[in-house]
């Protein structure tokens, strides 16, 4: 049976199983003799035996020991199912459960407890910030991965259901890439006012990706992101990564140490770029940005909220925003986006899985903070063709490369004419002085001419002229030459 993926929305609670949909989901999985290893206050309902353990002596439980000590007091391989819900992080352990003197068990220690107490063929439910369950060499058959979207500026929860091999020689190779589609909250029952639908009842494309320990974690994330970039891309990141993209990619970062084209204030991005100019916006902020506040538009709001408000007018209608982090919550509902895809990326050497969400812009309306500088109409006789080149800063657009719309100081070519040599041979690349004149002309808009155009396809050999020199390195000047190297 292939691994299934599901997506749920919940209001989180200090006691995990107080979240009604999550509790219903867990109880539907219970079978025969169950061990609830980190039980908490909530009593799960089951028609079989549940053995409860919690380290807190004030909790109603059968045992009050550290979960790592359970194999010393319970019979080996005596449970048909184990529910494993330890504190998700050191911070949660100390601030939520007041366990300042306790250290959290490692993945390896938890795996040892599960393997010692679970019967062959038995199943384990694991909840936390990661889908990492068993170390390499102790693989269990992964039956299900669940995303529990907490609907706010906090980390989402992840759940896994896995089965222990029923004999020592059984093979249970864990999948490395699973795709599925699911409507949020599919199968939820209406109890306690919980949501039983979501995303306009439109199915989400879900992915689960397990990265190999042999590759660098950020490289694996970058490879995944590259498969979803389209059109003109704005990368708003505080991390340096090499993204593969055939189109025009611009990076801006508030972190001055990041090698980026721009370092604009996150609260003023809408004034720095033309409206509707980007097909894809990529957001990758540190976790603390989702807990920080900032002064924005005369009021205090979340840092991530202010950033997304600024990015909204820059995204073209039908464009997408991709968020890398630990929550699938992306654009506010009032801005009319539709979630299209969510991916969970696991690396066995990283404590938390990445959650990558993609929201699609549904309308053409601009936010009140937008600077409306959309590309100008391109005057091409008897043609409805759209401009192929436009400035991401001011929005001015051109059907041909912008260098063809200014005079050439070298050969005297007028706008909308190619350059020529002294003997009248047509050049399909502009003279360097014409590019310099373009830079001077376009500087009146206070724009950076190095990002004037989207990158065209590479000039083929039969289009090259012997009297011109091909562009080689991606400097600003050479980028302009490359942009102009295409016959139009």
């Amino acid at each position: 049976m292939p691994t299934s993926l599901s997506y749920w929305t919940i209001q989180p609670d200090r006691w995990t199983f107080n979240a009604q949909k999550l509790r219903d989901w867990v109880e539907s999985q219970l079978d025969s003799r169950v061990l609830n290893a980190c039980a908490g206050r909530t009593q799960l309902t089951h028609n079989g035996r549940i053995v409860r353990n919690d380290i807190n002596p004030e909790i109603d439980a059968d045992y009050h020991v550290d979960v790592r000590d359970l194999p010393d007091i319970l019979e080996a391989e005596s449970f048909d199912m184990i529910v494993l819900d330890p504190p998700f992080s050191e911070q949660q352990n100390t601030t939520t459960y007041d366990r300042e003197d306790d250290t959290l068990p490692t993945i390896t220690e938890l795996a040892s407890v599960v393997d010692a107490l679970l019967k062959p063929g038995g199943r384990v439910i694991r909840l936390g910030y990661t889908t990492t369950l068993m170390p390499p060499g102790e693989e269990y058959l992964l039956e299900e991965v669940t995303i529990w979207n907490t609907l706010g500026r906090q980390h989402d929860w992840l759940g896994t259901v896995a089965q222990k091999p029923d004999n020592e020689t059984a093979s249970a190779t864990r999948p490395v890439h699973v795709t599925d589609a699911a409507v949020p909250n599919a199968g939820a029952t209406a109890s306690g006012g919980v949501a039983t639908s979501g995303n306009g009842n439109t199915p989400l494309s879900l992915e689960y990706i397990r990265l190999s320990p042999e590759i660098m974690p950020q490289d694996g994330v970058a490879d995944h992101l590259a498969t979803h970039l389209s059109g003109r891309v704005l990368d708003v990141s505080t991390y340096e990564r090499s993204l593969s993209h055939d189109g025009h990619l611009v990076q801006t970062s508030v972190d001055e140490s990041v090698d980026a084209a721009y370092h604009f204030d996150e609260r003023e991005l809408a004034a720095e770029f033309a409206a509707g100019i980007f097909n894809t916006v990529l957001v990758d902020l540190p976790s603390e940005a989702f807990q920080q506040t900032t002064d924005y538009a005369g009021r205090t709001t979340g840092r991530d909220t202010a950033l997304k408000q600024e990015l909204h007018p820059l995204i073209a209608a039908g464009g997408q925003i991709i968020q890398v982090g630990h929550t699938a919550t992306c654009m506010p509902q009032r801005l009319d986006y539709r979630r299209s895809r969510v991916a969970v990326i696991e690396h066995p050497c990283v404590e938390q899985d990445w959650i990558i969400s993609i929201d699609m812009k549904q309308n053409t309306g601009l936010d009140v903070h937008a600077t409306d500088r959309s590309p100008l109409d391109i005057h091409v006789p008897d043609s409805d063709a759209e401009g192929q080149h436009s400035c991401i800063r001011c929005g001015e657009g051109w059907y041909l490369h912008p260098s063809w719309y200014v005079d050439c100081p070298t050969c005297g070519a007028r706008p909308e004419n190619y350059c020529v040599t002294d003997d009248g041979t047509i050049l399909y690349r502009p003279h360097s002085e014409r590019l310099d004149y373009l830079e001077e002309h376009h500087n009146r808009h206070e724009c950076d001419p190095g990002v004037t155009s989207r990158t065209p396809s590479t000039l083929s050999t039969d289009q090259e002229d012997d009297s011109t020199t091909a562009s080689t390195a991606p400097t600003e000047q050479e980028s302009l030459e490359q942009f102009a190297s295409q016959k139009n």
Side-chain angles (χ1 to χ4, degrees):
M1 179 182 295
T3 303
S4 66
L5 309 178
S6 61
Y7 184 96
W8 307 76
T9 58
I10 59 171
Q11 292 293 339
D13 191 280
R14 174 184 180 184
W15 305 107
T16 307
F17 302 125
N18 275 355
Q20 186 66 49
K21 278 180 285 189
L22 191 149
R23 176 176 175 172
D24 290 345
W25 176 79
V26 170
E27 290 179 343
S28 71
Q29 307 274 355
L30 301 182
D31 179 48
S32 302
R33 190 167 187 257
V34 175
L35 170 64
N36 192 350
C38 307
R41 294 193 181 278
T42 309
Q43 299 275 348
L44 295 175
T45 301
H46 174 46
N47 56 14
R49 173 80 165 102
I50 298 181
V51 176
R52 290 170 50 83
N53 174 70
D54 196 283
I55 196 171
N56 185 347
E58 298 180 0
I59 297 291
D60 180 15
D62 301 288
Y63 301 97
H64 298 97
V65 300
D66 189 301
V67 67
R68 288 165 286 201
D69 296 330
L70 286 173
D72 297 331
I73 61 176
L74 296 173
E75 182 182 352
E77 297 187 344
S78 60
F79 291 94
D80 300 280
M81 173 157 281
I82 295 176
V83 178
L84 199 56
D85 176 36
F88 297 169
S89 66
E90 290 286 357
Q91 181 180 8
Q92 190 185 69
N93 192 45
T94 56
T95 61
T96 304
Y97 301 111
D98 303 320
R99 309 301 303 180
E100 295 184 6
D101 297 330
D102 297 326
T103 59
L104 287 181
T106 65
I107 292 294
T108 301
E109 289 172 328
L110 290 173
S112 177
V113 171
V114 169
D115 205 49
L117 298 177
L118 195 61
K119 292 179 180 179
R123 297 158 68 236
V124 55
I125 297 176
R126 167 79 156 93
L127 296 164
Y129 291 148
T130 177
T131 57
T132 300
L133 181 65
M134 305 300 290
E138 296 183 24
E139 297 292 9
Y140 281 32
L141 179 64
L142 188 63
E143 295 182 353
E144 185 173 355
V145 174
T146 64
I147 302 166
W148 299 93
N149 178 218
T150 57
L151 297 172
R153 301 172 59 227
Q154 50 191 312
H155 296 179
D156 288 353
W157 301 349
L158 299 171
T160 55
V161 181
Q163 183 181 42
K164 183 177 180 177
D166 57 10
N167 61 66
E168 294 181 358
T169 61
S171 174
T173 303
R174 194 164 187 180
V176 294
H177 192 181
V178 179
T179 60
D180 205 345
V183 174
N185 303 309
T189 57
S191 60
V194 301
T196 57
S197 62
N199 206 45
N201 284 322
T202 302
L204 289 171
S205 295
L206 302 177
E207 286 185 272
Y208 167 75
I209 300 166
R210 189 188 196 199
L211 300 177
S212 168
E214 281 73 39
I215 70 172
M216 296 297 292
Q218 286 288 355
D219 291 343
V221 173
D223 289 344
H224 174 76
L225 292 173
T227 64
H228 296 291
L229 301 181
S230 62
R232 186 182 282 108
V233 177
L234 176 65
D235 180 11
V236 184
S237 299
T238 50
Y239 300 96
E240 290 189 21
R241 63 164 59 94
S242 177
L243 286 171
S244 175
H245 180 50
D246 293 335
H248 189 192
L249 189 150
V250 179
Q251 186 178 34
T252 178
S253 177
V254 69
D255 188 343
E256 294 284 345
S257 67
V258 174
D259 183 15
Y262 304 106
H263 294 94
F264 294 138
D265 189 320
E266 294 169 348
R267 299 164 296 181
E268 298 177 0
L269 285 173
E272 298 291 353
F273 295 104
I277 201 71
F278 293 104
N279 307 102
T280 302
V281 170
L282 175 61
V283 177
D284 189 357
L285 297 176
S287 294
E288 56 267 23
F290 292 85
Q291 281 76 50
Q292 293 171 339
T293 58
T294 187
D295 293 329
Y296 179 68
R299 61 190 179 89
T300 299
T301 189
R303 177 185 164 193
D304 63 308
T305 303
L307 171 63
K308 293 169 187 176
Q309 180 81 10
E310 286 291 296
L311 292 173
H312 169 61
L314 307 184
I315 303 172
Q320 61 181 2
I321 179 168
I322 305 176
Q323 178 178 272
V324 183
H326 301 296
T327 176
T329 301
C330 191
M331 297 301 277
Q333 186 175 5
R334 61 183 174 78
L335 295 182
D336 194 20
Y337 284 72
R338 180 66 53 79
R339 189 143 307 146
S340 66
R341 182 178 295 271
V342 177
V344 175
I345 300 183
E346 173 201 7
H347 191 287
C349 299
V350 177
E351 291 183 355
Q352 284 189 248
D353 294 359
W354 286 277
I355 298 177
I356 299 177
S357 58
I358 301 180
D359 282 5
M360 306 295 294
K361 191 172 187 178
Q362 299 298 299
N363 59 21
T364 59
L366 297 178
D367 185 79
V368 294
H369 298 293
T371 301
D372 192 359
R373 299 179 297 182
S374 55
L376 303 176
D377 291 334
I378 309 302
H379 299 290
V380 180
D382 302 320
S383 174
D384 294 327
E386 295 182 358
Q388 298 300 303
H389 309 277
S390 56
C391 176
I392 64 171
R393 299 291 303 283
C394 70
E396 185 173 353
W398 305 269
Y399 178 69
L400 305 177
H401 183 270
S403 63
W404 304 127
Y405 291 84
V406 297
D407 294 319
C408 178
T410 299
C411 66
R414 300 295 296 163
E416 299 191 43
N417 288 274
Y418 288 118
C419 288
V420 295
T421 62
D422 291 340
D423 62 4
T425 302
I426 294 176
L427 299 178
Y428 294 110
R429 291 180 180 147
H431 285 111
S432 60
E433 291 81 6
R434 193 171 193 174
L435 293 172
D436 292 339
Y437 185 66
L438 165 66
E439 181 173 337
E440 178 185 351
H441 167 80
H442 199 60
N443 270 348
R444 297 179 213 165
H445 302 282
E446 299 182 351
C447 295
D448 181 347
V451 291
T452 301
S453 168
R454 70 179 69 178
T455 305
S457 58
T458 305
L459 181 67
S460 61
T461 303
D462 62 353
Q463 290 175 313
E464 293 190 21
D465 187 283
D466 292 337
S467 61
T468 61
T469 302
S471 172
T472 56
T475 63
E476 290 187 359
Q477 181 69 14
E478 290 168 333
S479 294
L480 282 173
E481 294 176 3
Q482 180 189 10
F483 298 152
S485 67
Q486 179 185 17
K487 275 187 178 181
N488 289 284

